[in-house]
Amino acid sequence: MKQLIWKFTLAALCMVIFLAVGTGSCQALPRNEITSFHYSTYKDGDRNWLKIEIGLDRDKLDFEVSANPDRQNQLWVLMKNTDSGDVKKDIGLDRKIARYMTFRKKNKKDLQVMVAVDKSLDEQECRVYLSPPDKKIKETRLVIEIADSKAPEPVKDEKTNLPEDEILNNVAGATIVVDAGHGGSDTGAIGPNYLKEKDVTLNIALEMCRILKGNGARVLMSRYTDVDVFGPYATDRQELQARVDVAHNDPLSDIFVSIHCNAFTSPEANGTGTYYYPHSYNDSALAQFIQSEMVQATGLRDRGISSARFYVLRNSRIPAVLVETAFISNPHEEQMLSESRCQHAMALAICRGINAYFGNRIK
Amino acid sequence: MKKLLIALMLVCMIFSIAGCAKEEPSPATSGKSAGISGEVNKQEAEDIKVKLYFPNNDASEMVAVEKTVKVTGTTKYKAAIEALLAGTTDKKLTNVIPKKTKLLGAEVVKDTIKLNFSKELIDDFNGGSTGEEMLVGSIVNTMTEFPEIKKVHILVEGKTVDTIKGHMDTSVPLTRMKELLK
């Protein structure tokens, strides 16, 4: 009997040591854990709000807010160094403002919260913040608030000022990043009659900006003038990354469209082509919609769409394309590219392709 | 009996500690150079057949051109690139690599060849997505014709380059560009 007790004590000791070593020293970093979950709705004037409160056991939390690039109705909140605790993994919400939310492990240490809003993030307002303990609730909470609509803005109907052929029906509310290729110290390719690629790409990009904004889209431009995007004396990588960052820095960015002129050593090469990097189906779809419109509008030889290891495409987190409008190294196409009429036609064709993409994309 | 139990406990402790210890990085995979595997030991000239890739004039495809090169005290890789730089006289094809470009060195590490070009490769090149693809493609596809070469890392004046003219990411070794071949 005595021996049996001795055995038990030893086994218990073993377990204690195992547990102490196993949990204590392995997890040196204090982690956050969700301690409570609660949601409610309230009215603010004409708008209805959904308020989600996630209680935490610590008073600090690192979090990142972004939008799912592939689904317009999904808000992502990355809670760093956090465990989900006893909270359910999938939670139904009020179904009027938001449908449901999920908690998923991400990067081993973090917790990804996804809230599926009813319509889309473009049409609904969201805010995410940390709320300190107060008299009623004694814990710090991560608060996600979602409204059923955007704050009303003074309505400006600029569409009426657009010529009929420039009216696009699917881009309103979309956020489109337009990158005028090269610029500043980088001329891009130069034609046989000294036309510079950077000047053509800027003109087309500015024209696209006018058309898209006129149709109610949000447009983010990598440059509005003849400048380097990163700044002078940058490395090539810094310069290209600065263009990618225009989209990265805005969670609402939907697509990235880079405008270029093609060039080749032989002046014979000609035609229009669109490049993409196959991150998802949407990349090639966007490329094909733009390519079809470009061919139709310009009558140029159709070089088709191609996937390519281009820096700005590979590093983009949203559907991205690079449009090679025409060959600046071909004398005939250089002449075309220099004409403002042709620059307008190309800008409009690209915008139409974008419009078709938003009308047809898989959500 | 007691001794056995104590021994068991010790084993248990060791296990629990070992299980917790930070995962040691697995011993670095030896990055030692496969060396000059392509070096020709014989000093006398040897003729070998290589396939060089040139774009056609409208840059719609790349065409392989067979050529016999002399390998004397140099590697077959160098000989092939030198032949590519020398260009083709075929009127339907284009010499896409700028004329003054020189090959400064070539080194094989495992399945990757590092090719070091002079600055003219970038400075004298006009650019364009198609131009860049064809320039890089002619070099990469010519080298990957050698079955032991799987990747090509293009260096300029001894340094890694982020891009040739703002399109392709050339900071990493590149694999064969099949999409340019028909």
Side-chain angles (χ1 to χ4, degrees):
Chain A
M1 187 61 192
K2 216 176 184 181
Q3 213 175 19
L4 207 79
I5 291 169
W6 180 224
K7 254 191 213 170
F8 258 107
T9 326
L10 259 179
L13 224 116
C14 257
M15 284 298 281
V16 166
I17 289 167
F18 182 84
L19 279 176
V21 174
T23 57
S25 61
C26 265
Q27 298 182 349
L29 278 174
R31 291 175 58 78
N32 241 318
E33 191 176 295
I34 294 178
T35 50
S36 66
F37 176 86
H38 176 75
Y39 79 85
S40 56
T41 54
Y42 66 93
K43 223 175 158 77
D44 168 30
D46 287 342
R47 294 200 289 163
N48 294 302
W49 285 86
L50 173 73
K51 188 176 185 182
I52 300 166
E53 296 175 82
I54 302 167
L56 305 166
D57 66 344
R58 295 174 60 220
D59 59 355
K60 278 190 189 131
L61 173 75
D62 260 350
F63 65 94
E64 274 174 19
V65 182
S66 58
N68 181 343
D70 298 321
R71 292 193 194 274
Q72 276 205 308
N73 71 327
Q74 294 192 350
L75 175 75
W76 282 343
V77 183
L78 186 69
M79 299 174 71
K80 299 222 173 136
N81 205 29
T82 303
D83 285 320
S84 59
D86 292 334
V87 74
K88 276 201 282 179
K89 293 249 180 312
D90 305 276
I91 297 169
L93 296 171
D94 75 313
R95 305 185 66 174
K96 282 181 188 136
I97 302 164
R99 295 177 217 164
Y100 62 94
M101 65 189 290
T102 62
F103 291 91
R104 294 284 182 272
K105 256 203 159 82
K106 186 113 196 247
N107 317 326
K108 288 189 181 159
K109 291 193 306 189
D110 306 334
L111 193 64
Q112 171 95 284
V113 184
M114 188 279 290
V115 184
V117 303
D118 183 55
K119 281 173 264 171
S120 74
L121 293 173
D122 296 337
E123 295 164 86
Q124 296 180 252
E125 193 173 330
C126 299
R127 47 195 192 210
V128 183
Y129 55 91
L130 272 186
S131 177
D134 51 38
K135 277 182 187 166
K136 267 168 72 185
I137 304 167
K138 298 274 186 283
E139 57 193 6
T140 300
R141 286 147 294 150
L142 176 72
V143 181
I144 304 172
E145 288 195 273
I146 300 155
D148 56 359
S149 59
K150 273 261 182 282
E153 274 177 42
V155 182
K156 259 195 274 171
D157 196 2
E158 284 181 74
K159 274 194 195 182
T160 49
N161 298 332
L162 289 175
E164 203 169 309
D165 68 335
E166 287 179 11
I167 292 178
L168 309 169
N169 293 318
N170 306 319
V171 297
T175 300
I176 297 157
V177 182
V178 179
D179 170 39
H182 310 280
S185 63
D186 172 16
T187 59
I190 299 177
N193 291 306
Y194 306 105
L195 182 66
K196 289 176 187 154
E197 179 180 0
K198 66 172 182 177
D199 297 331
V200 179
T201 60
L202 180 59
N203 284 349
I204 294 174
L206 288 170
E207 184 68 355
M208 283 175 63
C209 180
R210 180 188 66 78
I211 296 169
L212 292 170
K213 277 191 175 168
N215 282 291
R218 249 179 103 219
V219 180
L220 305 175
M221 299 278 284
S222 64
R223 62 186 181 100
Y224 285 94
T225 53
D226 182 16
V227 290
D228 295 276
V229 174
F230 183 88
Y233 314 115
T235 64
D236 289 340
R237 179 172 296 272
Q238 285 171 326
E239 178 63 20
L240 292 173
Q241 188 59 43
R243 292 166 196 267
V244 174
D245 284 344
V246 175
H248 279 192
N249 294 340
D250 191 306
L252 288 180
S253 302
D254 289 303
I255 57 168
F256 178 93
V257 181
S258 188
I259 309 300
H260 283 252
C261 301
N262 215 338
F264 188 57
T265 315
S266 157
E268 271 182 45
N270 65 87
T272 185
T274 306
Y275 291 85
Y276 65 96
Y277 187 83
H279 290 290
S280 81
Y281 167 80
N282 282 330
D283 292 275
S284 59
L286 177 59
Q288 190 55 62
F289 281 121
I290 291 176
Q291 178 67 12
S292 304
E293 292 288 343
M294 276 294 282
V295 171
Q296 202 184 349
T298 61
L300 291 171
R301 173 177 161 200
D302 184 359
R303 294 183 76 93
I305 63 169
S306 350
S307 77
R309 292 179 274 217
F310 292 171
Y311 188 93
V312 293
L313 302 180
R314 255 183 103 162
N315 292 288
S316 177
R317 294 182 199 153
I318 52 176
V321 294
L322 188 146
V323 185
E324 286 289 2
T325 49
F327 275 77
I328 201 168
S329 52
N330 174 292
H332 170 69
E333 293 190 1
E334 180 191 25
Q335 175 62 35
M336 277 181 72
L337 286 168
S338 72
E339 292 166 10
S340 62
R341 195 166 45 95
C342 175
Q343 292 171 359
H344 163 78
M346 288 176 166
L348 182 57
I350 299 167
C351 290
R352 283 202 180 144
I354 292 170
N355 187 57
Y357 167 78
F358 281 110
N360 292 284
R361 72 169 162 172
I362 295 173
K363 283 181 187 170
Chain B
M1 186 64 193
K2 219 187 244 177
K3 266 184 193 166
L4 197 118
L5 267 171
I6 288 168
L8 246 166
M9 190 181 88
L10 265 172
V11 166
C12 186
M13 269 178 73
I14 286 163
F15 253 108
S16 68
I17 290 164
C20 178
K22 268 195 185 152
E23 223 173 275
E24 284 291 324
S26 54
T29 41
S30 65
K32 72 174 179 203
S33 162
I36 34 177
S37 59
E39 201 81 57
V40 174
N41 296 323
K42 296 174 233 163
Q43 276 305 306
E44 64 267 30
E46 189 195 358
D47 284 343
I48 62 161
K49 269 192 180 167
V50 290
K51 259 190 190 173
L52 309 176
Y53 283 89
F54 295 96
N56 62 357
N57 289 339
D58 73 356
S60 57
E61 64 171 314
M62 291 209 113
V63 179
V65 175
E66 269 207 14
K67 213 170 169 183
T68 307
V69 293
K70 275 199 185 337
V71 179
T72 348
T74 179
T75 66
K76 54 184 176 177
Y77 311 118
K78 272 189 179 173
I81 291 292
E82 297 288 0
L84 190 67
L85 293 177
T88 171
T89 49
D90 187 332
K91 288 276 182 288
K92 289 180 193 135
L93 304 179
T94 294
N95 295 313
V96 67
I97 303 173
K99 274 199 191 97
K100 290 179 185 160
T101 310
K102 289 185 185 70
L103 179 67
L104 304 177
E107 186 198 355
V108 179
V109 179
K110 287 188 176 171
D111 63 349
T112 303
I113 185 159
K114 282 187 185 178
L115 296 172
N116 183 16
F117 291 98
S118 65
K119 62 183 190 306
E120 287 83 6
L121 183 79
I122 287 181
D123 290 357
D124 292 358
F125 192 63
N126 194 20
S129 290
T130 300
E132 252 185 59
E133 279 193 304
M134 292 296 176
L135 173 80
V136 173
S138 68
I139 296 167
V140 171
N141 289 350
T142 296
M143 282 296 101
T144 49
E145 269 299 319
F146 296 106
E148 67 277 18
I149 301 294
K150 298 282 180 258
K151 287 184 221 155
V152 182
H153 197 173
I154 295 174
L155 307 177
V156 173
E157 303 289 336
K159 289 185 188 128
T160 294
V161 283
D162 296 333
T163 177
I164 304 289
K165 283 282 175 184
H167 307 89
M168 283 191 74
D169 184 350
T170 49
S171 61
V172 289
L174 301 170
T175 52
R176 189 168 180 82
M177 293 164 73
K178 290 188 200 102
E179 66 273 21
L180 303 180
L181 312 170
K182 273 196 179 163

